[in-house]
Amino acid sequence: MSVFTHLVAQLGRLLEPVLAESATAAAIVLFTVLVRLALHPLSRAAFRGATPVAGCLPVLLQLPVFFVMYRAFSSAEVGGAANELLGHRLFAAPLGARWTEALGDGGLLGPQGLVFLGLFAAIGVVAAWSAVRGRRAAANAPVPAPVLPAALASAGKGGGAAPAAVSPEQVEAMRKLGGVLPLLSFGTLVTAAVVPLAAGLYLLTTTAWSVAERAWLQYRKDRAGEGVRSSL
C-alpha cells in the first residue's frame, strides 16, 4: 500500500501548481484512468464476447485496486509513518472523510456535505446514463419466440430436432429481467455513501469510464456493421 500512496502523492505534487489542495483528488482520477487504460484490451475482448472469463476479468482485477484505495484513505499510518494522504482535500472535504462524518460537520448543506452531494449527483448521472443504455440494449436485443407444445410435437413426428422449449412465461421473465438489471448501476450510490471520499471518486471515475467505453465500442461495432452492409 505504501507504493500506492507514494504514487498518488507524487501525482498530486505534479498537479498541485494547477489544482492547489484538490491536486490529490485529481491524482486519484488520473490514477483510475491509467488503470482502466491498462484494462482496456480485456474490456474490448469482453465486449466482443471472446471468452466468458474475459467479461469478469476487468471487474475482478479492479477489486484489489479499490481495496488498496479504501485502505489508503482509511488508515492513520502507512508503513509505520503518518498517512500523508489524509491531509488532502477535495474543496472543503478531506479525502478520507465519509458522508456520515460530513453530515456531522455542517450538515447536509455544509461545506463538506455539498462536496458529497456533488459526488452523488455525478454518480447518479452516470448511473442513469448506464440504465438508459441498458434498457435500450435490452429492448433491441432479440428475444426467443415462445415455442408452443404443438410445434414441439410436429418437430418430433417429422424426425427433426425439436426446437428449444421457451414458454411465454420465460419470455416475459427475460423481458422483465432486462428492464431491472440496468437499475443495479445505482448501487454505486450506496457504496459511495459509506466509503471514504477518495474511494467514491474512484467509483465515479471507473463507472463513467465503463459506460463511455461501452458506448464507444458499440458505436464502432455499429459503424463496422454499416460499412459491411454498404459494401454488399
Side-chain angles (χ1 to χ4, degrees), residues 42-184:
L42 287 175
S43 300
R44 187 170 54 191
F47 179 81
R48 293 175 177 173
T51 63
V53 178
C56 301
L57 280 178
V59 176
L60 293 177
L61 291 177
Q62 285 187 83
L63 290 179
V65 180
F66 178 77
F67 178 73
V68 170
M69 180 79 68
Y70 177 87
R71 289 292 305 275
F73 287 90
S74 300
S75 304
E77 294 185 354
V78 175
N83 188 355
E84 61 176 311
L85 294 179
L86 296 182
H88 296 270
R89 296 173 171 265
L90 174 60
F91 303 117
L95 291 173
R98 290 171 170 79
W99 188 40
T100 52
E101 298 170 357
L103 292 177
D105 185 6
L108 183 64
L109 299 179
Q112 294 189 32
L114 289 175
V115 174
F116 276 92
L117 287 180
L119 174 68
F120 297 156
I123 292 176
V125 169
V126 173
W129 182 24
S130 176
V132 169
R133 286 188 54 81
R135 283 180 176 273
R136 189 179 302 160
N140 295 334
V143 177
V147 179
L148 302 177
L152 292 173
S154 61
K157 291 178 180 179
V166 181
S167 67
E169 292 77 9
Q170 289 175 317
V171 172
E172 183 61 24
M174 284 188 286
R175 290 185 183 277
K176 290 181 178 179
L177 185 62
V180 171
L181 285 178
L183 299 178
L184 296 179

Side-chain angles (χ1 to χ4, degrees), residues 180-191:
V180 171
L181 285 178
L183 299 178
L184 296 179
S185 55
F186 288 95
T188 309
L189 276 170
V190 179
T191 306

